[in-house]
Amino acid sequence: MRSSLQSYRKVSLESEIAVASPHRIIQMMFDGALQRIAQSRYAIENNDLANKGIFIGKAIGIITGLNNSLNMEAPGEVSKNLSDLYDFMLRRISEANLNNDVQALDDVSSIIRTIKEGWDAIPPEQHHIDSHSSAM
């Protein structure tokens, strides 16, 4: 049953991604990063080292993906500033992994939530003008 549910969720997510706008994909990545960080925190609190590694690895992958999707050719400093924040978050997640530091994960979650709030506030007519690449 659990395997069937996981398969359904995977197909559902793949279907949503297939029709999602680049803006929506970035929103989904923020959501995924927050979920993986919360799962990592739970694993640390429960001394579940195997799942801690899995979820931290997934969070790192998502944040790296967000960083790689930045349009560094965009005018202004937004992309550079976001890249610096993503680099900081990756360092903090690595510290959390090494030291079982839930505060480091909380710091990263807070930053992601703030960026996500700004991203979610972008009006639909401006979804094509952003700091992340539209070629995702």
Side-chain angles (χ1 to χ4, degrees), residues 4 7 20 23 34-37 44 56-57 59 63 65-66 89 93 99 101 105 114 119 124-125 135:
S4 297
S7 295
H23 185 87
L34 289 169
Q35 288 174 357
R36 298 308 168 261
I37 291 167
I44 288 172
I56 282 182
I63 293 170
L66 286 164
M89 287 187 269
I93 289 174
N99 304 318
D101 183 356
L105 294 176
T114 300
W119 189 256
E125 62 272 9

Side-chain angles (χ1 to χ4, degrees), residues 21-24 118-132 134:
S21 69
H23 185 87
R24 177 68 185 125
W119 189 256
D120 291 346
I122 296 172
E125 62 272 9
Q126 294 181 358
H127 283 186
H128 66 285
I129 306 170
D130 55 50
S131 57
H132 284 85
S134 21

Side-chain angles (χ1 to χ4, degrees), residues 62-136:
I62 293 168
I63 293 170
T64 299
L66 286 164
N67 198 8
N68 291 340
S69 75
L70 291 171
N71 179 1
M72 299 309 280
E73 306 295 317
E77 297 291 316
V78 174
S79 293
K80 165 98 174 70
N81 293 340
L82 282 171
S83 183
D84 290 345
L85 278 173
Y86 292 141
D87 288 342
F88 173 78
M89 287 187 269
L90 291 170
R91 284 191 304 274
R92 289 298 282 157
I93 289 174
S94 294
E95 292 168 7
N97 189 31
L98 290 172
N99 304 318
N100 291 320
D101 183 356
V102 294
Q103 183 58 54
L105 294 176
D106 292 345
D107 294 346
V108 172
S109 289
S110 177
I111 295 167
I112 292 173
R113 272 192 227 94
T114 300
I115 296 170
K116 183 180 182 321
E117 287 171 9
W119 189 256
D120 291 346
I122 296 172
E125 62 272 9
Q126 294 181 358
H127 283 186
H128 66 285
I129 306 170
D130 55 50
S131 57
H132 284 85
S133 170
S134 21
M136 284 199 52

